[in-house]
């Protein structure tokens, strides 16, 4: 029996993870679940999965959750805050940790899982983008196993040799071809993007996801973060990673080898496939995802990304090339800008301007420690808020 902690259980990836686990009760048991503020949803999940522990974001939420659980006759231990998240990510009983909190808030508990040598199922790409080498060192030094949940990286992982040692050249890899749907605004007139609403931005053509990553997909910052994620996971340089627009989201990514072979992983766009793959790796288990019907799909299309339409993608490549704490700045500024867009404070086309401003004005340096990265995250957020505040006042 493998005990699993899900960080961010009430989110899109968290719910898909529970769906897969529910299909295999003889193999997996839920040790702990976390949510931020969706207490009623978390209580319902506790009722179904009977975890030993549950963690929420505040003392009030913990009180409310405790009340709901006791009403249901459950003895689940309830706690709140970052230290409690780190505790459920590193508890000795836990075998695998699904890191599915959104944004920088997931860094500390995801890192705690790596430091405790767990099998880390990484959905929370922002944690890796921020901490890069420091995170990879924590995985390596503590014997943790890092398995990508992001569908593209899970696909690349599946297309690489089992013995892959984070060196493209040593395995004959010429390029990583990272596919992108292009999001809801792939063909809309660029000038008209000023007027798009959060609802339009969150309406993804092929995937159903949380609001933050949905906006990131619309700006293609999601692909930018994924380029940086691929750099760390697979040891590929910016030049060895190529973004390919593929609107059907059937090919989840590809690896191009020096002999001219290109290996691809295909499947319906449903996160339960990469989740099941990583949970059971190297075995295969049923995920609930229907088999792919290629004749019904009939057509697969590809095109190059337009960096003018998607300036966030260019900003991410620049941050990767700059290195050090630049990706942490990029990520923090993006989180603030996306939230401001969702809160109707700025327009869609101002998101990239906030990020560019922060990267231009906040000095960045070496990512020498996690503390240094967290400090850069804090300074970048302040700069982004100040810039947005100035725009609002003007
Ligand atoms: P959601 O917004 O759907 O869920 C986020 C989860 O994190 C929720 O459980 C939420 O709790 C919790 N949470 C939010 N803020 C905090 C906080 N400050 N502290 C602790 N917990 C918090 O996100 P997704 O599931 O869409 O995405 C999760 C991660 O997975 C992201 O990093 C995303 O980039 C990545 N990912 C997602 C994919 C998808 O298909 N959705 C695909 C590939 C990667 P509550 O519900 O209470 O607010
Ligand atoms: Mg992805």
């Amino acid at each position: 029996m493998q005990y699993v902690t899900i960080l961010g259980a009430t989110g899109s990836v968290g719910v898909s993870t529970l769906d897969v686990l529910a299909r295999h009760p003889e193999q997996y048991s839920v040790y702990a679940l976390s949510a931020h503020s969706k207490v009623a949803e978390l209580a319902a999940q506790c009722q179904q999965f009977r975890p030993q522990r549950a963690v929420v974001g505040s003392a009030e939420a913990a009180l409310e959750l405790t009340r709901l659980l006791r009403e249901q006759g459950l003895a689940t231990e309830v706690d709140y805050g970052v230290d409690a998240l780190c505790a459920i990510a590193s508890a000795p009983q836990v075998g695998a940790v699904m890191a599915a909190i959104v944004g920088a808030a997931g860094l500390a508990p995801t890192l705690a899982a790596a430091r405790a040598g767990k099998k880390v199922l990484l959905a929370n790409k922002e944690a890796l983008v921020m901490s890069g080498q420091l995170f990879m060192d924590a995985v390596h030094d503590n014997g943790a196993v890092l398995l990508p949940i992001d569908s593209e990286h899970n696909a690349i992982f599946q297309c690489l040799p089992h013995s892959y040692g984070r060196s493209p050249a040593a395995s004959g890899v010429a390029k990583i071809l990272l596919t992108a749907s292009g999001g809801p605004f792939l063909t809309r007139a660029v000038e008209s993007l000023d007027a798009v609403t959060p609802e339009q931005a969150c309406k993804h053509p092929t995937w159903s996801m949380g609001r933050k990553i949905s906006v990131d997909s619309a700006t293609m910052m999601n692909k930018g973060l994924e380029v940086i994620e691929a750099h760390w996971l697979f040891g590929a340089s910016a030049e060895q990673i190529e973004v390919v627009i593929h609107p059907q989201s059937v090919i989840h990514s590809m690896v191009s080898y020096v002999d001219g072979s290109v290996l691809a992983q295909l499947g319906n766009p449903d996160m339960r496939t990469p989740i099941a793959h990583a949970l059971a790796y190297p075995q295969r288990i049923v995920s609930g995802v229907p088999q792919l019907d290629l004749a019904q799909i009939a057509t697969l299309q590809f095109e190059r990304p337009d960096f003018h339409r998607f300036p966030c993608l260019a900003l991410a490549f620049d941050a990767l090339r700059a290195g050090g704490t630049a990706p942490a700045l990029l990520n923090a500024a993006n989180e603030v800008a996306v939230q401001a867009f969702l809160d109707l404070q700025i327009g869609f086309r101002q998101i990239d301007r906030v990020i560019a401003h922060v990267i231009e004005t906040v000095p960045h340096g070496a990512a020498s420690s996690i503390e240094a990265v967290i400090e850069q995250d804090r300074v970048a957020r302040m700069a982004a808020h100040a810039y947005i505040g100035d725009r609002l006042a003007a």
Side-chain angles (χ1 to χ4, degrees):
M1 181 65 73
Q2 171 137 216
Y3 285 89
V4 182
T5 284
I6 305 178
L7 303 167
T10 46
S12 168
V13 171
V15 168
S16 291
T17 305
L18 286 170
D19 183 282
V20 175
L21 293 178
R23 293 165 197 275
H24 304 281
E26 70 298 339
Q27 255 172 291
Y28 304 102
S29 178
V30 175
Y31 172 74
L33 297 174
S34 92
H36 193 55
S37 55
K38 289 194 179 149
V39 173
E41 284 85 342
L42 186 59
Q45 292 179 340
C46 291
Q47 173 79 324
Q48 186 183 352
F49 291 93
R50 310 275 162 152
Q52 295 176 35
R53 300 165 77 174
V55 174
V56 285
S58 67
E60 301 74 56
L63 272 177
E64 176 62 7
L65 180 64
T66 307
R67 190 184 67 73
L68 292 173
L69 294 177
R70 299 305 174 256
E71 261 176 30
Q72 297 168 6
L74 294 179
T76 316
E77 188 188 308
V78 176
D79 207 342
Y80 68 93
V82 178
D83 291 346
L85 289 173
C86 293
I88 61 170
S90 59
Q93 302 92 316
V94 174
V97 176
M98 168 57 76
I101 289 174
V102 59
L107 175 61
T110 307
L111 194 60
R115 286 176 173 160
K118 302 300 183 194
K119 179 162 138 180
V120 182
L121 313 180
L122 184 74
N124 181 204
K125 67 193 87 185
E126 297 93 342
L128 181 57
V129 166
M130 289 172 75
S131 59
Q133 188 65 52
L134 295 161
F135 188 85
M136 297 309 289
D137 288 348
V139 168
H140 180 263
D141 295 348
N142 297 288
V145 175
L146 183 59
L147 292 166
I149 294 297
D150 213 346
S151 58
E152 295 78 2
H153 305 74
N154 184 272
I156 294 160
F157 182 85
Q158 294 194 47
C159 296
L160 287 169
H162 279 289
S163 58
Y164 189 73
R166 290 184 68 224
S167 163
S171 292
V173 171
K175 267 200 173 176
I176 282 171
L177 305 177
L178 199 61
T179 54
S181 71
F185 305 140
L186 181 60
T187 54
R188 192 181 165 122
V190 174
E191 298 67 39
S192 76
L193 291 176
D194 276 326
V196 300
T197 64
E199 278 56 45
Q200 289 169 317
C202 289
K203 210 160 179 257
H204 197 278
T206 50
W207 292 95
S208 160
M209 309 181 286
R211 279 166 82 75
K212 191 263 179 181
I213 184 175
S214 295
V215 176
D216 284 350
S217 298
T219 61
M220 279 193 81
M221 178 55 93
N222 181 49
K223 210 51 51 182
L225 297 175
E226 290 184 358
V227 167
I228 301 172
E229 183 183 13
H231 164 74
W232 291 115
L233 288 174
F234 307 119
S237 67
E239 289 67 35
Q240 288 168 320
I241 304 169
E242 187 176 321
V243 174
V244 182
I245 304 252
H246 165 47
Q248 290 81 15
S249 303
V250 167
I251 294 183
H252 297 307
S253 275
M254 297 170 263
V255 176
S256 175
Y257 287 88
V258 289
D259 61 4
S261 296
V262 176
L263 299 193
Q265 187 261 355
L266 286 73
N268 285 309
D270 187 321
M271 287 306 291
R272 291 176 298 175
T273 295
I275 290 167
H277 171 267
L279 261 176
Y281 181 79
Q283 257 93 51
R284 297 272 178 178
I285 56 170
V286 165
S287 66
V289 178
Q291 297 296 307
L292 193 61
D293 183 344
L294 281 170
Q296 203 207 337
I297 293 158
T299 310
L300 299 179
Q301 293 165 303
F302 306 96
E303 60 184 271
R304 287 184 216 292
D306 173 354
F307 286 90
H308 170 65
R309 174 181 290 277
F310 298 113
C312 285
L313 186 57
L315 287 169
F317 266 105
D318 290 347
L320 173 57
R321 291 197 177 93
T325 55
L329 290 183
L330 174 94
N331 178 67
N334 181 57
E335 284 191 30
V336 171
V338 168
Q339 193 56 53
F341 169 69
L342 288 171
D343 293 342
L344 305 175
Q345 291 176 342
I346 61 171
F348 183 77
R349 291 228 286 169
Q350 286 176 302
I351 294 174
D352 61 273
R353 280 173 227 156
V354 174
I355 301 163
H357 169 80
V358 169
I359 292 186
E360 277 160 26
T361 56
V362 177
H364 40 96
S368 49
S369 66
I370 290 292
E371 292 69 31
V373 168
I374 291 170
E375 175 60 12
Q376 282 274 278
D377 175 87
R378 190 185 68 79
V379 175
R381 279 168 201 271
M382 273 174 47
H385 280 299
Y387 181 78
I388 292 167
D390 288 350
R391 304 286 103 175
L392 290 177

